[in-house]
Amino acid sequence: MEFRMTTLIILPLLFLPSIAIKTHRSLLFSATPRVYRNFKRQSACRRTPVLLHSTILRKQTRSRIGAFSSAHQDFSHESLADPNSNPSSESNTPAKSSKSKSSIGWLTIMGGGSFGTAMAICAASKGHNVTLLVRRQEIADEINEQRIHPRFGDIVLDDKITATTDYEKAFGASADRKPDMLVHAVPAQASRDFLHKVKPFLPKSVPIVSCSKGIEVSSQSLMHQLMADVLRDETTGELPPLAFISGPSFADELARGVATGLVVASKKIKTAKRVAELLASDVLRTYATNDVIGVEVGGALKNVIALAAGIAEGLELGMNARSAIVTRGCYEMRRLGHLLGGRQSTLTGLAGIGDTFGTCFGPMSRNRRTGERIGRGEKIEEILESMDQVAEGVPTAKALVKLIQQTDHSYRIDLKYPIIFGVADILDGIRTPLEGFQDIMRDPLRMEMYELKRDKELLSRERELQKRETHIEELEQALLLKKAELEKLRAMILNKEHSDKSVYITN
């Protein structure tokens, strides 16, 4: 009996070395089929010297075998730890974290207008708790008690939305926790005074996302410049994480869950991606970029272009004229964006042309309707008094003229930006709407498009790359001509390769 037990124990041990060698050999052959299964093929060493090629492949073999072995060990440990586990199902299912990346918890929106309320509805639909900071107490009471907003009377607001006029409640100064994200939805011209008021209550290091579009008239500042000027810490000089939203997004459609696409811009791309993740849903598609200037220039200029398109509609100039005006306005947008440091690709995307199309041709556009009333002969003062919402294009047009005069020192800038300057003159009463369009039609004839300096540099770089690729192809052809000389070298090295193979398998 003892002899049988000893035999049963010793016999498997005798076969272990051969099993290990076979396993090692099978791993080696499965890891590098190019080297040993097709070893005699000359195509494996066609373009690289044989010594270098074989050295690289041997290194790849070792790394692959090591990776396979570690994975095999991990698999064995997992199987031992949980004998009832199903490895195939676990390998195809990604591990879920305990907390979702898009989980905010608490979001505060500064501004209870149309867009601020629409953003609150979108955030609440994702399960976020939303605090809406409004100016008037009666609006806050109507939201909290009747669950409706005056701008969207037929939409019942989610219970996760609460409204307040108290800064301490909105920003968590009186609570144990603070909001996870702040959304700034105050008009551009009122943003500086508002931010000065709420700055003492703002929690530190909380991301602030701006939905405001336009240029401040008093300082000719874009929103990222305005917010940096106000929110910068006076002692440390630090800024909270800032992001900026733009794109074709009418508040009414956004509040009703109609599919919408937006762009989130931040100088730190991680912040832009994080905000894009937090806002994205089945009906809201978000994209991230680090081109803050391009996004803001597009969001500001599209309102001025919409005024021009509306004026053309009020003058009954037809679709041909409106299409031409919008197209040339986009060219002025591209030129100014290049001047201020924005990227052309951003201005041809959602934040530029996309937002321009929606604002110029959409029936819900305030700026287009304002321009249409101007074209019909109404005075701008009477139009603005009759509106319960802000047409950002009116102050932005005047701010743009000052900004262009400060930054573009070239000759006859009025010919480079005829639509922007023309709309500003019409708003100031210098020209009538009809005179403004007649002056555009009588401008000196010139090329439709001029390649901007940065575009020329890109073109020259592409041509240089093409030359380099051609040179590389010529070198490859020259290397192929050396094939006959390498054949002798291959024949000498084949014997050494076979010996290296056998020694490596044995070890």
Side-chain angles (χ1 to χ4, degrees), residues 57-58 86 132 146 148 243 264 293 309 350 353 418 444 474 481:
L57 290 175
R58 280 199 297 271
N86 187 359
L132 192 62
Q146 303 180 19
I148 59 172
V264 182
I293 295 177
L350 288 172
I353 292 178
E474 293 175 353
L481 295 177

Side-chain angles (χ1 to χ4, degrees), residues 28 82 119 144 156 338 437 465:
L28 182 64
D82 186 9
M119 291 294 293
N144 296 330
V156 179
H338 170 265
F437 281 97
L465 289 174

Side-chain angles (χ1 to χ4, degrees), residues 121 147-157 252 255-256:
I121 295 172
R147 312 309 306 165
I148 59 172
H149 190 281
R151 297 279 173 82
F152 306 104
D154 58 337
I155 298 178
V156 179
L157 301 181
D252 187 76
R256 299 179 190 281

Side-chain angles (χ1 to χ4, degrees), residues 102-107 120-130 158-161 278 280-281:
S102 61
S103 176
I104 293 183
W106 182 15
L107 182 147
I121 295 172
C122 288
S125 66
K126 289 197 66 177
H128 305 319
N129 295 316
V130 182
D158 196 290
D159 292 337
K160 297 182 179 66
I161 301 175
L278 298 174
S281 66

